[in-house]
Amino acid sequence: MAPIGKLYSARGMCQTTAIKATAAAAGLELEEPEYKHYEDNKKPDFLAKFPHGKIPAFEGANGLNLTEGAAIARYIAALSPNSGLLGGTIEDAALVDQYVHFAETEIHSSNELIYMMLNGYVPYNKAIHTVLTERQLRGYSTLETILLTRTYLVGERLTLADITIASVIFLSVSYTLDAPLRARYPNILRHFDLIINQPKLKEVFGQPTFVEKAVQYTPPAKEKKEKEPKQPAPAPAPKKEKPKKAEEDDEEDENLVPEEPKAKNPLDLLPKSTFNLEDWKRAYSNKDTRGPGGSLEWFYENFDKEGFSVYRVDFKYNEELTLVFMSSNQIGGFFNRLEASRKYLFGSMGVLGAANDSIIAGVLILRGQDVKPVVEVAPDYESYDYRKLDLENSEDKAFFEGALAWDLEIDGKKWQDGKNFK
Amino acid sequence: MAPIGKLYGHPRQPQTKAILSAAAISGLEIDLITFEFGVTNKLPEFTQNFPLAKIPAFEDNEGFKLIEGTVIARYVSALVPKAGLLGHDVKETAEIDQWVHFAESEIYVPAANIYAGMVAKYLPAFSEEQRKHYQEREERSLKFLDDYLASRPSGFLVNDSLTLADIVLAAGVQRVGQTVCGAKEREGAYRHVFAHFEKVTNDERIKHLFGEPGFVDEALSFKAE
């Protein structure tokens, strides 16, 4: 059979994988001429066909020139209706389109932007990295829920939806979908394994690379920003120039029967305490903070320093902060991501200073003596420094009270706006 | 005619506009349930049917459910082939898909990011560097698009009549005119893009769905403090 056309693209792009897998599943042949990006796409004969100069680009044997990866894959699937790659009805086709679009916008777009930031194509921004990671988590979570009850995404056989999702996940597991996350999403991995091992597709996908820990940002050497987290960190992330490679992992283990995702929380196993966090939250909400009969007075009467601890929190990258309300939003976002620790935590944090000259600081009252188990539920917890406070020490005590009363001042920077986690 | 289903969306959301326009051109009616953040996305009937809890979200009268804006618009367009929104053969459909995808990823998304960072203000620490990055990307795409539209005798993206590609592009270009392109750019470098916008949004059948353009006089920038 003659090739249906030529595909100009680069290996490693998930659109390319999806297009080639679609052609293989449809029993159609694609020619892949030699192509060097940044060189060939500047040449006049390429630009005459594809003026935007981007890949993938498809030159059909019938004269159709097409760009946009997803559109090319869909067209190839449409050329072979018997393959069932677009389902059997308009509704099935719409569901296929839905999953393709979802894969691109809810999962892959984060991979791309994170890649661009970590490799210097776009200025690195920790807050945005966090937002993208969070967004992607939501996408993975939804996908896991969908795949809980399905072998294939649409109907009972392979469609373009499965191929596209598998292509995106292939990239994700080498980059952002790391070992701890993969343990949470057994159905995503089960589906992934099924698709990349289909006889017609195995050769197109090849062997996936599984990253142990999601690729992190390593700042250029001359940066004075301190990056080492307080906790004993795992081995540093793979070198910047090879972001897609990972340590060889024992891939087979990833596909075992899923472990129970919710282990007993060690914080529930601590000895009973006389300090009741919910009572504290009520006292804080209903009373004035300072003064007689205030919540601070209540706190000192009731606090159990064996069962609970008080920590100071400081944002690590205050030089990045701009407008006050945006910094305030950032605190809100951090608190949202601490939701899983609601039973173990109270927080009062704020923005001090003025626009472009501000800091984020505050306090946490938490179960136990170690901050890490309580805050590590938030993916961005390492953006903050934590220091246990000693309320017998007058400076620590003043800081604690100021953070609760929202009148804290640090180095001349006055409290502007605050948020409570309660 | 009875509505074919309901759409959770918002009249000001570009994806909602595209879906309702596709329906209008196809002679179909859809019930719009205007989404209220913090209210609608806490209703069990919404979150149970749509676990991702994002809009647009569509459910027809038989319980068929769909998310992803351009996908819903495409499905609606597929229900009435003779309206021509998806072309007449496999090639035309592929070209329309190509332009829809391009409009979303290359025209709408960079402008939407600038809008989210500078107007709606829900991208943290959105900086001048980021604005510049998206602006450059946007301009490259606008130039390519403008050249292409200048070469089109009909003024439409595919064929000689309105297709889904024109609708989705216009919805995206509206965001561009609210962020990246001031009057100078709309009348100058990208005049074909904005002439296309005028053409599509003045179609009697969908004019009311696009509303006031809300364009900026000058492209958005961070003012010096």
Side-chain angles (χ1 to χ4, degrees), chain B residues 47 92 144 146 209:
Chain B
T47 54
E92 283 179 8
F144 159 68
D146 201 81
L209 294 168

Side-chain angles (χ1 to χ4, degrees), chain A residues 130-131 134 330 332-340 377-380 384:
Chain A
T130 304
V131 165
E134 204 173 82
Q330 179 178 310
F334 179 52
F335 281 170
N336 284 345
R337 292 182 282 279
L338 287 168
E339 182 58 29
V377 296
D380 58 334
Y384 298 86

Side-chain angles (χ1 to χ4, degrees), chain A residues 327-404:
Chain A
S327 306
S328 203
N329 285 349
Q330 179 178 310
I331 300 173
F334 179 52
F335 281 170
N336 284 345
R337 292 182 282 279
L338 287 168
E339 182 58 29
S341 286
R342 178 165 290 271
K343 283 197 317 182
Y344 315 112
L345 183 65
F346 167 90
S348 186
M349 289 175 66
V351 188
L352 289 73
N356 298 305
D357 182 28
S358 53
I359 61 176
I360 288 178
V363 296
L364 303 176
I365 300 172
L366 52 100
R367 188 73 171 98
Q369 299 301 316
D370 184 9
V371 69
K372 185 162 182 242
V374 179
V375 297
E376 68 180 351
V377 296
D380 58 334
Y381 81 98
E382 285 175 318
S383 298
Y384 298 86
D385 280 319
Y386 305 90
R387 183 167 74 72
K388 195 186 277 195
L389 294 179
D390 172 16
L391 296 178
E392 309 292 322
N393 174 296
S394 59
E395 268 178 44
D396 280 1
K397 187 168 184 220
F399 183 94
F400 171 69
E401 294 187 358
L404 257 48

Side-chain angles (χ1 to χ4, degrees), chain A residues 69-88:
Chain A
I72 298 170
R74 199 190 198 284
Y75 171 64
I76 293 173
L79 288 177
S80 178
N82 291 339
S83 64
L85 288 169
L86 295 177

Side-chain angles (χ1 to χ4, degrees), chain A residues 231-308:
Chain A
Q231 301 76 9
K239 290 251 176 290
K240 263 212 293 192
E241 57 275 10
K242 287 197 203 311
K244 297 226 162 91
K245 283 227 188 315
E247 300 115 329
E248 278 327 310
D249 207 2
D250 203 346
E251 300 155 12
E252 271 58 61
D253 283 352
E254 303 304 333
N255 298 319
L256 288 177
V257 169
E259 356 157 346
E260 219 7 86
K262 284 208 169 18
K264 197 99 176 80
N265 193 322
L267 295 169
D268 289 329
L269 301 173
L270 291 172
K272 223 166 149 29
S273 167
T274 52
F275 183 69
N276 183 304
L277 196 65
E278 296 313 305
D279 287 346
W280 156 248
K281 290 177 181 179
R282 255 190 300 278
Y284 180 78
S285 301
N286 297 335
K287 301 176 197 288
D288 287 338
T289 309
R290 294 189 185 280
S295 59
L296 279 170
E297 186 184 279
W298 187 97
F299 180 86
Y300 293 125
E301 277 165 15
N302 290 281
F303 188 60
D304 162 26
K305 67 175 196 214
E306 305 303 326
F308 284 79

Side-chain angles (χ1 to χ4, degrees), chain A residues 39-112:
Chain A
E39 281 181 30
D40 291 325
N41 59 319
K42 299 205 197 304
K43 296 185 180 156
D45 61 336
F46 186 87
L47 290 170
K49 291 178 287 219
F50 307 108
H52 197 41
K54 291 185 108 174
I55 51 167
F58 173 78
E59 187 183 341
N62 57 7
L64 175 69
N65 290 334
L66 209 54
T67 57
E68 306 300 308
I72 298 170
R74 199 190 198 284
Y75 171 64
I76 293 173
L79 288 177
S80 178
N82 291 339
S83 64
L85 288 169
L86 295 177
T89 60
I90 301 184
E91 280 72 27
D92 278 351
L95 289 172
V96 169
D97 287 337
Q98 171 189 269
Y99 290 118
V100 167
H101 195 278
F102 169 88
E104 269 194 315
T105 57
E106 299 290 336
I107 300 180
H108 185 59
S109 59
S110 290
N111 282 340
E112 270 194 332

